[in-house]
Amino acid sequence: MKLFLFLLFCHGSSSVKHSLKFFFTASSGLPNFPEVVGAALVDDIVVGYCDTDTQRFELKQEWVKTYLEKNPEQLQWYRAACFQNQPNLLKARIRGLKQRFNQTGDVHIFLEISGCEWDETTGEVIGFLQFGYDGEDFMALDLKTKTWITPKSQAVSVKLRWDADKGRIKHIENLLTQVFPEWLKNLVDYGKSSLLKTERPSVSLLQKTPSSLLSCHATGFYPDRAEMFWRKDGEELDEDVEHGEILPNHDGTFQMSVDLNISSVTPEDWGRYECVLHLSGVKEDIVTKLDKAEIRTNGEKPTDRTVLIIVPLVVFIFILIFIAVIGFMAHKKKKATRRPPPSDNDTELSTQLNPET
């Protein structure tokens, strides 16, 4: 899933880039998990969520609600995708792929990611449409060659059939490079006060015991487009360093940490080490010197917003989608009921992003 992970977490630092992404995940054999889950993200911030269990379409940002009130046709598109088109199509995809790969029962997940990225500085637009199955890339549209690409030998016949449908490819290209970018620009215009705001974090040096890794922990920053690393004598370190993920706080800000193994660092060399946080929208990096006097240990009482390592499990239900993406094959728990293979008359997504397999 390298391509999917790239789309999820990459951020541009040299120019102002914005993105609009639609995620739809269909599953079979997963107990207590909706058969179809959908989410819309602007600049990697969830703005809408839906699933087939609750049958609710939830808008997560007030500025998005305002925008869609003035653009009801776009809201209708989202609702149709969530409850009319995608559920039947994606579930049919799983049935068809289980047949194609000669699979029975167990846990299976089909993922669709579509959208675009827009560089506000250069005007460049990049559209993307990709499908994944059971944690691996299945099919993607190459807009440069106007052809489908797949790493799966079992999908070659599907690729050839999709390649032959030039009308559909042209329609999808228009959506990814014209329609979606126009939506994105309008959304960014409505949400600038939220999307472009910046909040500087508090940065702390934390260590459980004198022999454990030293963690440089930043919390309370916004947006989540940030990079954090240790450097020695001005050069970034790769060895003895462990990078953590960017995680959400309960107040809408973010946190992250990067750990350094200091077991072999002599006291006289401590001054040569620095923790650096580069936050998008902030010109100057936030630099924290390695100083023994500044290290907080388990024996000290943390101050407000300093140690938010444990994120509430209920934050952002959409994170289930990412769990499905990254941990697809959490490994086969239940036998799913056999279903008949999809017919050639499966309902098409109104945007025609989902041709038949």
Side-chain angles (χ1 to χ4, degrees), residues 260-306:
L260 174 67
N261 185 348
I262 60 172
S263 60
S264 59
V265 180
T266 59
E268 56 269 22
D269 285 339
W270 277 43
R272 302 167 64 187
Y273 290 81
E274 296 173 328
C275 173
V276 181
L277 175 67
H278 175 75
L279 181 63
S280 177
V282 177
K283 292 183 179 179
E284 296 183 359
D285 291 339
I286 300 171
V287 179
T288 304
K289 294 264 185 194
L290 179 54
D291 185 345
K292 192 170 185 177
E294 296 298 322
I295 298 176
R296 296 182 178 276
T297 65
N298 282 345
E300 299 181 36
K301 184 178 179 180
T303 57
D304 291 345
R305 302 177 75 182
T306 297

Side-chain angles (χ1 to χ4, degrees), residues 104-166:
T104 57
D106 296 328
V107 175
H108 298 285
I109 295 179
F110 183 83
L111 172 68
E112 175 191 316
I113 300 179
S114 63
C116 65
E117 186 179 80
W118 165 53
D119 190 319
E120 189 175 358
T121 305
T122 66
E124 181 185 17
V125 169
I126 299 174
F128 48 85
L129 171 61
Q130 299 186 5
F131 302 105
Y133 182 60
D134 284 353
E136 297 181 353
D137 295 321
F138 175 72
M139 193 81 73
L141 179 61
D142 186 337
L143 286 174
K144 292 182 179 179
T145 63
K146 309 293 192 297
T147 59
W148 295 91
I149 55 176
T150 179
K152 298 293 184 183
S153 59
Q154 298 96 325
V156 171
S157 61
V158 177
K159 165 198 156 47
L160 294 175
R161 189 166 72 251
W162 289 9
D163 283 348
D165 195 340
K166 301 299 182 183

Side-chain angles (χ1 to χ4, degrees), residues 6-11 18-21 23 40-47 117 195 224-225 254 318 322:
F6 173 79
L7 288 173
L8 278 170
F9 299 115
C10 71
H11 301 286
H18 301 284
S19 63
L20 174 63
K21 301 172 186 175
F23 292 80
L41 291 78
V42 175
D43 288 0
D44 293 325
I45 297 172
V46 172
V47 298
E117 186 179 80
L195 295 171
D224 65 341
R225 295 185 290 277
F254 297 90
F318 75 90
F322 300 154

